[in-house]
Amino acid sequence: FAAQAALSDKATGTFSIVFDLSKARYANIDLPLIQRFVAILTDFYPERLGVMLLLDAPSFFPALCWPLIRPWLNPVTRSKVHFVSSDADPSTTDAISFWLGGECLPTHLGGQDDFDYGKDPASQD
């Protein structure tokens, strides 16, 4: 729960969120869960979001899901949400690095962060 502790400390400033949507399918988009997530951000961490990157969103997401989600966000928060692609184009990696910084960007996206987020943190000492 390190994220919760960091978010509770107002001195830490803002945080970034990267949602990897590369394997998302229409059937597994949970709009009530997304609505709850938006409510938590709004109610408990107002104006703490630095940037939210929606990575490799499938083609249906901007057309079908985003129009439903967009009104739940206030205009300031909405301006912090960006659709990005992880294709091999260096300009894409540069765009993602612009928001995250190379040290926070995973190596598979051209960055320097080699932490395996799919494993238990305790096993990566």
Side-chain angles (χ1 to χ4, degrees), residues 82-103:
H82 305 277
F83 288 86
V84 294
S85 171
S86 66
D87 61 23
D89 183 350
S91 66
T92 299
T93 301
D94 291 345
I96 298 171
S97 293
F98 172 77
W99 287 297
L100 297 182
E103 69 280 356

Side-chain angles (χ1 to χ4, degrees), residues 2 5 21 25 28-29 44-45 59-60 62 67 73-74 85 87 90 103 117-119 122-123:
L21 298 171
R25 301 297 172 258
N28 63 9
I29 299 296
F44 298 104
Y45 308 105
S59 59
F60 70 83
L73 302 169
N74 70 48
S85 171
D87 61 23
E103 69 280 356
Y117 292 92
K119 289 185 179 177
S123 69

Side-chain angles (χ1 to χ4, degrees), residues 6-73:
L7 291 174
S8 298
D9 181 5
K10 294 193 186 287
T12 31
T14 61
F15 58 91
S16 301
I17 298 174
V18 178
F19 281 111
D20 182 352
L21 298 171
S22 61
K23 296 181 182 171
R25 301 297 172 258
Y26 189 73
N28 63 9
I29 299 296
D30 187 342
L31 289 175
L33 177 65
I34 295 169
Q35 191 170 29
R36 179 68 181 136
F37 178 74
V38 168
I40 290 169
L41 282 178
T42 303
D43 296 344
F44 298 104
Y45 308 105
E47 301 309 319
R48 298 290 303 284
L49 180 64
V51 67
M52 181 183 298
L53 303 179
L54 303 177
L55 181 67
D56 295 332
S59 59
F60 70 83
F61 194 88
L64 298 174
C65 299
W66 184 241
L68 297 172
I69 298 166
R70 194 173 179 273
W72 301 337
L73 302 169

